[in-house]
Amino acid sequence: MGCVRFTKPRDLLAAGLIAGLLAHLLLRLAYDTLPPLPTFAGFTLLVIAVVDLVLAFSLRARIQRRPGTAPVQPLTAARAVALAKASSLLGAIMAGAWAGVLIYVLPVRGEFEAADHDLGSAIVGVVCAVALIGAALWLEHCCRTPKDSRQDG
């Protein structure tokens, strides 16, 4: 079995670029047949980001063994890392997809009435997706075991 490695920015960038290209291609082919995008479609990503942040701060205190906190079970930490990795990948894919929408609707705002509305949706989506990436990477960072000061000296 291989060990779990921390998320690499290049992996997230690759997923985001592929999603962005696919979204942009889809819009070039069928934008005039699609319904307008909901303004707060990307808001769900922000909700997941908040959950990741709350979990990160809770786990960080417990992993650092702050007074008044219970120790972290290994399975709990493993599940949190899995959530963090999945959240960061979802955030990267959605950031790419929303960026693909944004890149498409910016120049066609004059051609399609829906493009002005979709511009706002794309901005909300990109911002929420980037927030999710940040929260997920923070959660992953918080799951690292602290360095043992007894081994240093």
Side-chain angles (χ1 to χ4, degrees):
M1 286 179 87
C3 63
V4 175
R5 292 186 179 12
F6 289 101
T7 304
K8 292 184 169 83
R10 70 181 164 129
D11 297 338
L12 298 179
L13 184 62
L17 285 173
I18 291 168
L21 288 172
L22 289 174
H24 189 77
L25 180 62
L26 174 70
L27 293 174
R28 288 182 63 110
L29 294 174
Y31 186 71
D32 55 344
T33 63
L34 296 174
L37 296 170
T39 304
F40 295 107
F43 190 69
T44 307
L45 302 172
L46 189 61
V47 172
I48 299 170
V50 169
V51 170
D52 283 359
L53 278 177
V54 169
L55 184 60
F57 285 111
S58 171
L59 281 176
R60 183 177 178 158
R62 292 172 59 194
I63 288 172
Q64 292 177 347
R65 297 187 180 109
R66 292 188 185 149
T69 61
V72 176
Q73 297 296 323
L75 188 56
T76 302
R79 287 178 177 163
V81 169
L83 173 65
K85 291 183 88 51
S87 293
S88 63
L89 185 58
L90 171 66
I93 290 169
M94 293 309 297
W98 282 116
V101 172
L102 187 63
I103 291 168
Y104 180 79
V105 298
L106 271 173
V108 298
R109 286 183 299 175
E111 286 180 53
F112 300 103
E113 226 175 274
D116 278 332
H117 178 269
D118 290 347
L119 178 65
S121 301
I123 292 170
V124 168
V126 168
V127 168
C128 292
V130 169
L132 178 58
I133 294 169
L137 292 176
W138 177 247
L139 173 58
E140 189 175 333
H141 174 77
C142 288
C143 291
R144 293 182 183 198
T145 54
K147 291 186 179 184
D148 192 354
S149 60
R150 292 175 289 177
Q151 291 177 350
D152 294 341

